[in-house]
Amino acid sequence: MATSVAAPFGTFAVAHLALDVLDGLASPVAGALTDWGAQEAAQAVLYVDTDPAKADTAVFAEAYDVPLDASANCVVVAAKRGGDTTLAACLVLAGARVDVNNSVRKHLGSRKASFAPMEVAVTESGMEYGGITPIGLPSSWPLLIDAAVVDTPFVLIGSGRRRGKLIVPGWALAQLPGVEVLQGLAL
């Protein structure tokens, strides 16, 4: 039985401990939560069931009364150098944009960086577009998180699917495997 808890913000009917509702998450996300070496962090993750038609940030924020500074977007970037392409994930607060052309490109040592095509992001992550989250991404991808996200008490992110979102303490995101917390990742 899923443990019900109060969400720290928003107008969600109910929130559950994410570890209690793994079947509502994309399989890479469920697996990552289960195997997360930082169990205190994994146990702090909440799941809220939401309407997939309202998954886009601005619509979602209005529909569920979630402030943009308590919401973060995960974008997949393709960084190229020579003939090699590296996929990376970047997490910034929803009111900001990822500094792809400077911070990301320089940090990854690439000549060119741009947002990965939707089909590539979905196929390679194993998650749905509009639900891509930093929890459960391929371990070979660099995971870059803006320091402002980590400093946020609770932040809303995707669940790997368009239906449902995760609410995670900012400090817990800094415990993800392979994460790099950067100042100035967001514009």
Side-chain angles (χ1 to χ4, degrees), residues 6-14 48 60-61 63-67 70 156 167:
F9 53 72
T11 56
F12 305 107
V14 66
V48 290
F60 187 92
Y64 294 100
D65 195 25
V66 175
L156 183 118
I167 299 175

Side-chain angles (χ1 to χ4, degrees), residues 26 28 35 38 48 57 61 75-77 86 92 117 122-123 133 137 140 148 168 187:
D35 297 337
V48 290
T57 304
V75 297
V76 179
V77 174
T86 299
V92 299
V122 168
T123 301
T133 187
L137 290 171
S140 62
V168 185
L187 294 171

Side-chain angles (χ1 to χ4, degrees), residues 57 68-69 71-77 89-105 115 144-149 182-187:
T57 304
L68 288 180
D69 62 354
S71 207
N73 290 327
C74 185
V75 297
V76 179
V77 174
C90 301
L91 187 69
V92 299
L93 292 176
R97 294 177 316 182
V98 175
D99 186 5
V100 175
N101 292 321
N102 290 310
S103 291
V104 175
R105 182 183 60 76
F115 295 108
L144 312 176
I145 298 181
D146 189 72
V149 174
L182 302 176
Q183 294 286 343
L185 180 61
L187 294 171

Side-chain angles (χ1 to χ4, degrees), residues 128-183:
E128 294 177 6
Y129 184 73
I132 294 176
T133 187
I135 300 172
L137 290 171
S139 61
S140 62
W141 291 14
L143 174 54
L144 312 176
I145 298 181
D146 189 72
V149 174
V150 173
D151 292 339
T152 303
F154 289 94
V155 65
L156 183 118
I157 60 175
S159 67
R161 299 174 54 212
R162 283 187 69 83
R163 167 167 229 107
K165 299 287 185 184
L166 301 176
I167 299 175
V168 185
W171 64 264
L173 291 167
Q175 306 299 310
L176 286 167
V179 71
E180 294 180 70
V181 178
L182 302 176
Q183 294 286 343

